[in-house]
Amino acid sequence: MNSISHNFLLYQANFILDIQNIFGENNDFLRKVSKYSDPSYAISILFPVFCSLDTKVGFYVLLVSSVTEWANILLKWFLAENRPYWWVAEAKVHVPLRQTDITCETGAGSPSGHVMGAAALSYVFLRWLTCWMSEIVPPNKKRFRNAVRIFLWMVYLIIVCLVTLSRVNIAAHFIHQCLLGAIIGLLISMLLVKDAKWTLCRKFFSLSKWKMILLAFLGTSVAVACYFLHQVLGLDPGWSIKLAFKWCERPHLISVNTTPLYSIVRDCGCFFAMAIASPVKERKFYPIVGVTATSLFFIGAKMLRPLMPNNDPFQFYLFHFLDNIFTHFCLLVVVPFIASLVKFKEKKH
């Protein structure tokens, strides 16, 4: 069984080398695709942008992004698979994979968080565009609607394939890890946003605040239990971080922001922010009003980030957790409320 697994990964490692030889490991376009498909960008940039225009869309962006990343970290801890750039060294195979400045991720390899997040979030926008199309296109134009749906699904597949190619090209993931991430990401997003009887689409908007807080507490408890279960079983939850530092050619580029614990703390903070903000009121704004209010808040919040304690790990993660609760609660409730007041005054004049 071990020899089969070894040969399977060796075949994929050689395939990655072929990809690097074709596209070049420093392909600027693919590096940007890999960089901006990071789940943290969806939470820190895409969520505020869409929340400043429409709180419902913003809520779904935050919900899908945080739940997908949370599930991804738990699966990484459970599956505990290697990444290509350190597997070739640990397995002592002669496959000279090349590294870039964004290769050295610190989490386990499977499933790919970038592909999983891209597949989940792209489906949110696919559903949003499909619903928007159904509102503006007459029902009798069925052929046109079907053509647009096919086009949107083609764009969806292209996005997922590009993210997969970018992650493989920098030797951060094996192909099967990306495929698994794409499948799970799509399933999670469909469960959360697809309007069907078996999904949770509208339930999050109707649940009471205390039920949402209970769900947030449950999600956080599961993550904490998984982390300490490793230690109880004699396993090291930080094994992948040690391998990243061991085999990364430029370990000084590794940031705490890439660690699984940092991500899971951020996600749990988002859970509590959504819970405290619930039930979320749907508000739409003039783009200039929402973007201005969001930008002013972000500038103020960013000025406070240097005060985050860095010496004590417990204080660091606690501050990170509370910062995410405060920031995302304000973006879901306070900023939209201010923006709606400005819009109301504009209408009165």
Side-chain angles (χ1 to χ4, degrees):
M1 187 67 182
N2 287 335
S3 63
I4 295 174
S5 175
H6 177 87
N7 291 334
F8 178 62
L9 296 181
L10 180 60
Y11 175 80
Q12 291 192 68
N14 280 294
F15 177 77
I16 293 170
L17 184 60
D18 291 338
I19 293 292
Q20 289 186 338
N21 290 332
I22 294 171
F23 293 97
E25 77 282 3
N26 284 313
N27 184 293
D28 192 51
F29 173 72
L30 291 179
R31 285 177 68 255
K32 285 181 178 178
V33 170
S34 187
K35 181 178 179 180
Y36 293 115
S37 60
D38 191 305
S40 64
Y41 277 87
I43 295 174
S44 61
I45 296 176
L46 291 181
F47 161 65
V49 168
F50 283 92
C51 199
S52 66
L53 304 175
D54 185 332
T55 50
K56 183 178 180 180
V57 178
F59 179 85
Y60 277 136
V61 169
L62 182 62
L63 175 68
V64 169
S65 299
S66 55
V67 170
T68 303
E69 187 179 49
W70 171 85
N72 178 260
I73 299 300
L74 298 188
L75 286 169
K76 284 180 185 294
W77 279 339
F78 176 74
L79 296 175
E81 285 194 14
N82 291 302
R83 290 181 182 268
Y85 79 90
W86 75 57
W87 179 82
V88 293
E90 288 286 305
K92 297 180 180 178
V93 297
H94 184 63
V95 183
L97 297 182
R98 298 183 289 274
Q99 298 184 20
T100 71
D101 57 342
I102 57 173
T103 295
C104 297
E105 297 280 347
T106 58
S110 187
S112 167
H114 284 65
V115 178
M116 192 167 162
L121 198 57
S122 296
Y123 183 78
V124 174
F125 298 133
L126 185 149
R127 289 290 303 171
W128 176 54
L129 290 171
T130 302
C131 293
W132 177 71
M133 178 194 66
S134 64
E135 291 177 2
I136 63 172
V137 178
N140 58 345
K141 302 250 178 156
K142 188 175 181 181
R143 185 172 294 179
F144 177 75
R145 285 189 174 198
N146 290 336
V148 173
R149 282 197 189 94
I150 293 172
F151 172 75
L152 290 175
W153 273 106
M154 287 177 64
V155 172
Y156 175 88
L157 290 173
I158 289 171
I159 291 172
V160 174
C161 288
L162 276 175
V163 176
T164 297
L165 180 61
S166 70
R167 300 303 290 165
V168 170
N169 190 56
I170 63 171
H173 289 290
F174 291 108
I175 286 287
H176 77 277
Q177 297 171 344
C178 294
L179 292 176
L180 183 62
I183 294 169
I184 297 175
L186 177 59
L187 291 176
I188 289 176
S189 193
M190 290 178 69
L191 175 65
L192 293 175
V193 304
K194 188 174 182 180
D195 194 3
K197 290 182 180 179
W198 54 272
T199 65
L200 305 173
C201 181
R202 296 179 181 176
K203 294 181 181 178
F204 285 106
F205 281 90
S206 59
L207 287 176
S208 66
K209 189 185 298 293
W210 290 110
K211 286 182 179 179
M212 287 289 285
I213 290 175
L214 182 62
L215 283 175
F217 181 78
L218 180 63
T220 304
S221 299
V222 169
V224 172
C226 286
Y227 181 82
F228 285 106
L229 182 61
H230 277 74
Q231 297 180 332
V232 172
L233 296 175
L235 304 173
D236 181 8
W239 67 271
S240 59
I241 301 175
K242 293 176 181 177
L243 283 177
F245 274 99
K246 181 178 179 181
W247 297 114
C248 182
E249 293 175 356
R250 288 168 281 182
H252 63 279
L253 295 175
I254 298 176
S255 170
V256 66
N257 298 0
T258 70
T259 60
L261 189 56
Y262 186 91
S263 300
I264 210 76
V265 169
R266 175 179 59 219
D267 298 329
C268 293
C270 292
F271 292 166
F272 276 97
M274 289 185 286
I276 297 170
S278 64
V280 176
K281 294 181 180 179
E282 185 175 356
R283 292 190 176 101
K284 297 181 180 180
F285 325 103
Y286 298 126
I288 188 65
V289 174
V291 171
T292 301
T294 303
S295 300
L296 289 173
F297 170 79
F298 248 87
I299 292 170
K302 194 171 182 180
M303 292 174 66
L304 296 175
R305 296 264 162 82
L307 299 176
M308 181 182 290
N310 293 317
N311 296 327
D312 182 76
F314 177 77
Q315 292 182 7
F316 173 80
Y317 285 114
L318 178 62
F319 187 95
H320 177 52
F321 175 71
L322 296 175
D323 173 60
N324 275 278
I325 294 177
F326 173 75
T327 301
H328 294 98
F329 170 79
C330 288
L331 288 170
L332 283 169
V333 177
V334 179
V335 172
F337 177 72
I338 295 171
S340 65
L341 288 179
V342 176
K343 181 178 178 181
F344 176 73
K345 288 182 180 179
E346 286 182 355
K347 279 188 174 181
K348 284 186 73 174
H349 289 301

